[in-house]
Structures are given as structure tokens and as C-alpha cells.
């Protein structure tokens, strides 16, 4: 934001003056006037700043997905029976994302940034039409704003899954987004259940951490003599305000951790479905994951068919052996 403040300070200061009883009084007010070039720089800087933030968000999602994929495809430890922990998973994900897939990540971030800028423009247009009492134009702008908001949420959700596909298969953004959209369409019920569970976890987790941190802070500043004594250097005059700030800080920290949990759950579901399609899921799925998601339907059908085939083969072998034994018995007595 320092660069934006420097651009804001590039405006020319204009002072306002008033005339009172024939005398001009200057310095009654000051304002900044900008040239069209400086205004263009400010708009470009704001859009670029938003793009950088979205790129950082995309890189963080990719790193989490890459770390989960490394764990899922890691080998089993023969001594413990658990999966081996990959070394430096986060650093490896960051290195691969910045080295091999940075273009895909920035492209997804650019799409989301463009939709956000369009949404802000439509929001400003809606308020301007409302101020002018133009109901028709306000209705059109509000409808466009609603559509753009829905499109932004959809692109953001698809992009999160596209980053997972990029981490697994190293595809470019467009192909990964198309395949992730197909995956979302085929597994809508499962994904909706998973999103509902993670949403409840995020709500309850953030609420519990925020309320617990705020209550602990309020209890500390109202019972400790260090914070209640007027002569203390750490005296707290407004405990409610301090507790509220602490609750907001706890909420921000908890939301980051639970967002990692949400991205990990989405990645685990995506990579599991991918391994099922490839027929290699049984090499990577742990017992806990198998108990949580169940076995694939194709596998159940194959097991049922193999069971029926083995039963029929066993019956045929038994009948054949019985027939051979009967022939040997009659041959023995005939001799």
C-alpha cells in the first residue's frame, strides 16, 4: 500500500477560499486534483495489487494440494504400516508451483481479478443509478451485478479444483479447469456433502476459537492485578474492547488453518476419484479413508462377479472330480 499512498500524494493541492464582507479568506479547505495520467496509474496499481493478492492465494492453494498429493501417492512403511511422510512437502510444492506452473496460477488469478473489478464497477453503477432515482438502469445494473457475483464464485470454486488437477497431472490451467468442471458435475452429490461438512467445521471451529480467545482475554484483563491496577503500566481501561480485538485476531488465525483443512479435504476427494478412474486406488488408499468414503462401485461389482465366477468354478471342479471318482470306482470293480 505504500506505492498507492505515494501515487495519492502526487495530486496537486488546491485550496478553497470564501469571501466574507468583501474580504477573501483563504485556506478554508484543501483538496487534491489529479491529472488523467495519474488517475490511470492509480487504477492500474489497484488492479495489479488485487491480481498479486489473488496470485498469492492461488499459490497457497496449489502448495496445500501438492503436499496432500505427495502424501497420498507416498509409499507404505513396512514397519509401521502407515504412509511415509514426504520430506519438505510445502517447500517442494512452492518450488514446483513457482517454477513449472506459475503461468497457470496467474491465469486463474487474473480471471478472478477481472470478475472482481467488473463486480466493483457494477456496484458503483448501481449506487449511482440509485442516487439518480433511475429505477430501470438500477434494476439492470443490479441484475448484472448478481450474475457477475455468481460467475465469480463459480470461477473461484472451479479454480481451486483446477489447481488440484495441475498439482496431480501437471496440465495447463484451461485443460485442468475443464476436467475439474467435469469432475464437479459427475460427483456433485459427494462434493456437496463434503463442502457441507467442511463448512460446518469452519463455522464451529472459527466460532469456538474466536469465542474462546475473547473469553480468555477478557478473563485475564479483568482478574489479573497487572491489568486492573490503575498504577500499572499495563492497565486496561476498556476490557471489552481488548477482548473484542483478541476475538477478531483469533478468528483470523483460525480461518486460515480451517481454509487449509478445506483445501486438503477437496484435494483428497479429487485425488481419490482420479486414482479410482486409473484403477490404482487400492495401492494408495488407507484403511481410514476407505472406511470414510467406502469402496468404489466398480470394485464392488467386480468383487461380486469374481465371487460368482469362483463359486461356479468351484462347483464345476467338484462335479468334475466327483465324475472322475465315479468312473474310477466302476473301472476298479469291472476289472
Amino acid at each position: 500500500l505504500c506505492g498507492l499512498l505515494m501515487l495519492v500524494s502526487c495530486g496537486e493541492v488546491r485550496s478553497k477560499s470564501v469571501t466574507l464582507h468583501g474580504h477573501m479568506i483563504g485556506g478554508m479547505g484543501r483538496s487534491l486534483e489529479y491529472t488523467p495520467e495519474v488517475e490511470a496509474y492509480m487504477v492500474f496499481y489497484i488492479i495489479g495489487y488485487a491480481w498479486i493478492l489473488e496470485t498469492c492465494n492461488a499459490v497457497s492453494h496449489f502448495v496445500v494440494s501438492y503436499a496432500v498429493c505427495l502424501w497420498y501417492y507416498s509409499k507404505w512403511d513396512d514397519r509401521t504400516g502407515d504412509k511415509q511422510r514426504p520430506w519438505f512437502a510445502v517447500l517442494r510444492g512452492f518450488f514446483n508451483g513457482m517454477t513449472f506452473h506459475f503461468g497457470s496460477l496467474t491465469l486463474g488469478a487474473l480471471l478472478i481479478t477481472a470478475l472482481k473489478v467488473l463486480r466493483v464497477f457494477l456496484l458503483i453503477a448501481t449506487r449511482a443509478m440509485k442516487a439518480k432515482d433511475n429505477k430501470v438502469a438500477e434494476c439492470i445494473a443490479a441484475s448484472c451485478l448478481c450474475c457477475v457475483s455468481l460467475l465469480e464464485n463459480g470461477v473461484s470454486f472451479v479454480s481451486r479444483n483446477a489447481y488440484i488437477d495441475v498439482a496431480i497431472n501437471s496440465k495447463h490451467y484451461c485443460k485442468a479447469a475443464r476436467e475439474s468442471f467435469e469432475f464437479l458435475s459427475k460427483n456433485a452429490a459427494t462434493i456437496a456433502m463434503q463442502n457441507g461438512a467442511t463448512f460446518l467445521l469452519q463455522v464451529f471451529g472459527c466460532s469456538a476459537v474466536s469465542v474462546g480467545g475473547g473469553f480468555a482475554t477478557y478473563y485475564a484483563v479483568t482478574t489479573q492485578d497487572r491489568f486492573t491496577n490503575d498504577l500499572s503500566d499495563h492497565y486496561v481501561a476498556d476490557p471489552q474492547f481488548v477482548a473484542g480485538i483478541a476475538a477478531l485476531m483469533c478468528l483470523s488465525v483460525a480461518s486460515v488453518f480451517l481454509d487449509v483443512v478445506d483445501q486438503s479435504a477437496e484435494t483428497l476427494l479429487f485425488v481419490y476419484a482420479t486414482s479410482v478412474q486409473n484403477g490404482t486406488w487400492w495401492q494408495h488408499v488407507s484403511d481410514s479413508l476407505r472406511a470414510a468414503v467406502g469402496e468404489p462401485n466398480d470394485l464392488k461389482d467386480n468383487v461380486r462377479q469374481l465371487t460368482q465366477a469362483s463359486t461356479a468354478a468351484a462347483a464345476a471342479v467338484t462335479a468334475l472330480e466327483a465324475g472322475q471318482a465315479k468312473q474310477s470306482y466302476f473301472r476298479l470293480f469291472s476289472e
Side-chain angles (χ1 to χ4, degrees):
L1 295 178
C2 295
L4 181 61
L5 294 177
M6 293 178 63
L7 280 176
V8 171
S9 64
C10 291
E12 186 177 355
V13 180
R14 298 290 186 182
S15 61
K16 296 181 180 179
S17 58
V18 296
T19 302
L20 183 62
H21 301 293
H23 298 282
M24 182 177 293
I25 303 176
M28 297 301 296
R30 287 180 172 84
S31 61
L32 292 174
E33 293 184 0
Y34 302 99
T35 62
E37 184 179 4
V38 175
E39 292 178 350
Y41 287 157
M42 293 175 63
V43 173
F44 177 79
Y45 192 93
I46 293 174
I47 295 176
Y49 183 73
W51 188 9
I52 292 174
L53 290 180
E54 287 298 330
T55 303
C56 294
N57 191 24
V59 171
S60 65
H61 287 158
F62 175 84
V63 170
V64 173
S65 300
Y66 191 88
V68 173
C69 292
L70 286 180
W71 173 84
Y72 183 84
Y73 288 109
S74 61
K75 297 181 180 180
W76 293 92
D77 193 345
D78 297 333
R79 294 176 300 175
T80 61
D82 297 330
K83 282 182 172 293
Q84 297 178 359
R85 273 66 173 178
W87 289 88
F88 305 107
V90 175
L91 293 179
R92 290 164 63 183
F94 181 78
F95 175 79
N96 283 277
M98 298 297 292
T99 305
F100 303 107
H101 308 293
F102 190 67
S104 297
L105 300 179
T106 53
L107 179 58
L110 178 62
L111 293 177
I112 299 175
T113 303
L115 291 174
K116 285 188 175 182
V117 172
L118 181 59
R119 178 168 57 85
V120 172
F121 175 76
L122 291 175
L123 180 62
I124 296 174
T126 302
R127 293 183 177 180
M129 293 302 103
K130 185 177 181 180
K132 293 182 179 181
D133 199 18
N134 191 339
K135 300 298 182 182
V136 177
E138 180 185 356
C139 181
I140 295 175
S143 300
C144 295
L145 177 62
C146 181
C147 295
V148 171
S149 300
L150 291 176
L151 182 60
E152 178 188 348
N153 294 331
V155 171
S156 178
F157 185 71
V158 172
S159 296
R160 287 170 64 101
N161 289 271
Y163 301 147
I164 301 173
D165 197 8
V166 172
I168 298 174
N169 302 312
S170 297
K171 299 177 181 177
H172 58 83
Y173 176 80
C174 296
K175 188 174 182 180
R178 183 178 68 252
E179 294 186 357
S180 62
F181 182 78
E182 294 176 356
F183 167 76
L184 295 174
S185 302
K186 294 179 181 179
N187 304 273
T190 305
I191 294 173
M193 185 180 301
Q194 178 260 325
N195 288 335
T198 54
F199 175 75
L200 292 177
L201 179 62
Q202 286 180 320
V203 171
F204 287 111
C206 291
S207 301
V209 173
S210 178
V211 173
F215 177 78
T217 304
Y218 182 80
Y219 179 79
V221 298
T222 54
T223 57
Q224 301 295 322
D225 185 67
R226 180 181 182 181
F227 305 109
T228 58
N229 190 357
D230 297 346
L231 302 178
S232 174
D233 294 335
H234 304 283
Y235 172 69
V236 177
D238 192 353
Q240 291 83 1
F241 177 77
V242 175
I245 296 298
L248 291 177
M249 294 176 63
C250 293
L251 177 63
S252 61
V253 174
S255 62
V256 172
F257 280 94
L258 290 174
D259 185 68
V260 173
V261 174
D262 185 22
Q263 184 68 17
S264 301
E266 291 182 5
T267 304
L268 197 59
L269 180 61
F270 193 97
V271 72
Y272 170 74
T274 302
S275 61
V276 168
Q277 294 177 358
N278 297 334
T280 60
W281 71 274
W282 55 274
Q283 300 177 359
H284 311 290
V285 177
S286 60
D287 295 335
S288 58
L289 181 59
R290 184 179 302 178
V293 300
E295 296 182 352
N297 294 327
D298 296 338
L299 177 66
K300 294 179 181 179
D301 296 338
N302 294 335
V303 170
R304 183 165 52 252
Q305 293 175 2
L306 289 175
T307 303
Q308 295 176 356
S310 61
T311 303
V317 170
T318 303
L320 181 60
E321 290 179 351
Q324 291 179 354
K326 186 183 295 184
Q327 292 177 2
S328 300
Y329 176 79
F330 284 118
R331 188 181 302 111
L332 178 63
F333 277 95
S334 62
E335 293 177 353

